[in-house]
Amino acid sequence: MATEHAIGIDIGGTGIKGAVVDLGTGLLVTERFKVRTPEGGRPGDILRATEELLSGIADEADGTKLPLGLCFPAVVKHGRTLSAANISEEWIGLPAEELFEQALGREIHFINDADAAGIAELRYGAIAGVAGVAILTTLGTGIGSAIINDGVLVPNTELGHLELDGHDAERRAAYSAMERETLSWEQWAHRLQRYYSHLEFLFSPDLFVVGGGVSKHHELFLSLLDLRTPIVPAVHRNNAGILGAASLATR
């Protein structure tokens, strides 16, 4: 395969998925491979599962050692994981980038998963060509976030953990809260209104982008929000982490 291709792998709390990506178009050039995240999300188990996934992708890619980017549900700083979202707390403080490189037998580019989604939208989606401050939020089990300022990522923002009305914002406004409390779209939108109005006050953004699986139902809740800032659904939902990680692999 040509050098304009790279592998992206997205590690999540329930699944690990990856594919080969055309870096020019942002399209997958292989099928999307997926394995379950091992129960408990412990380091050794996730490393082995990722190695299994990569072996399938490499077979599909004729064994070529393409550049590899990997995104992970944690604050990532200088290759270390400094938090753990829906995975084992044993990851906290580990030199995770080095551990993955050892397990996979190649250099990787390692990044937070929401930041990877932000990069995917910047290069291939809703943030492409946007001047000023764009904030991507992923609404799922929690709320992931990525801030892009004039095309440059501000990493590890963790805006789902802003305290709002005495709670972590994601505890009340994530999609999981809607499911857990059996909220209507209108009731959930009321909470989202509070959250996005707070982000608007703090950051004065030029654009909000809403990702996560629920964004495929964006017409049921985004129209209920009253904001000064334009708010649009993400273009790349389940593939955002793969695309963003792959697009950084050649850096």
Side-chain angles (χ1 to χ4, degrees):
M1 282 193 175
T3 56
E4 67 268 15
H5 293 161
I7 297 171
I9 294 179
D10 181 359
I11 295 178
T14 58
I16 303 171
K17 52 188 183 286
V20 178
V21 175
D22 184 311
L23 300 180
T25 63
L27 298 176
L28 305 189
V29 296
T30 64
E31 66 176 294
R32 191 175 66 176
F33 291 78
K34 185 172 182 179
V35 298
R36 288 187 60 81
T37 301
E39 187 173 352
R42 300 185 67 182
D45 295 334
I46 285 184
L47 289 168
R48 284 187 289 273
T50 306
E51 186 177 11
E52 173 192 343
L53 178 83
L54 181 58
S55 66
I57 298 172
D59 288 343
E60 181 76 12
D62 300 324
T64 305
K65 283 203 169 185
L66 295 170
L68 172 61
L70 190 151
C71 67
F72 197 80
V75 169
V76 175
K77 193 166 185 180
H78 305 304
R80 289 185 173 268
T81 41
L82 303 184
S83 66
N86 303 305
I87 52 173
S88 170
E89 291 187 356
E90 293 176 22
W91 284 99
I92 298 175
L94 290 184
E97 183 173 44
E98 181 181 336
L99 293 175
F100 277 107
E101 288 182 337
Q102 291 173 354
L104 303 178
R106 64 176 78 189
E107 291 186 358
I108 68 170
H109 188 93
F110 192 58
I111 187 174
N112 167 269
D113 55 353
D115 286 345
I119 291 294
E121 292 298 320
L122 171 64
R123 298 196 174 175
Y124 311 112
I127 305 176
V130 173
V133 175
I135 298 179
L136 174 132
T137 53
T138 57
L139 303 176
T141 304
I143 298 178
S145 64
I147 295 179
I148 308 289
N149 181 34
D150 284 335
V152 178
L153 173 72
V154 180
N156 296 311
T157 49
E158 297 292 319
L159 299 182
H161 295 295
L162 285 172
E163 184 178 324
L164 194 59
D165 301 327
H167 301 274
D168 255 18
E170 68 179 19
R171 179 67 182 166
R172 291 181 53 78
Y175 181 59
S176 59
M178 180 183 178
E179 294 186 308
R180 184 176 62 249
E181 301 179 42
T182 322
L183 302 175
S184 67
W185 291 105
E186 291 77 12
Q187 289 170 322
W188 186 47
H190 180 74
R191 296 189 182 188
L192 292 177
Q193 177 72 47
R194 179 82 178 94
Y195 177 61
Y196 286 112
S197 292
H198 191 54
L199 292 184
E200 199 171 49
F201 171 73
L202 292 175
F203 296 101
S204 300
D206 297 282
L207 179 69
F208 284 123
V209 179
V210 178
V214 72
S215 62
K216 65 186 175 185
H217 303 299
H218 62 89
E219 71 282 354
L220 297 176
F221 63 96
L222 289 189
S223 62
L224 301 176
L225 303 180
D226 182 15
L227 300 164
R228 298 186 307 276
T229 306
I231 185 165
V232 300
V235 174
H236 304 286
R237 291 185 281 268
N238 290 332
N239 291 337
I242 293 173
L243 297 182
S247 72
L248 294 170
T250 56
R251 288 180 56 180

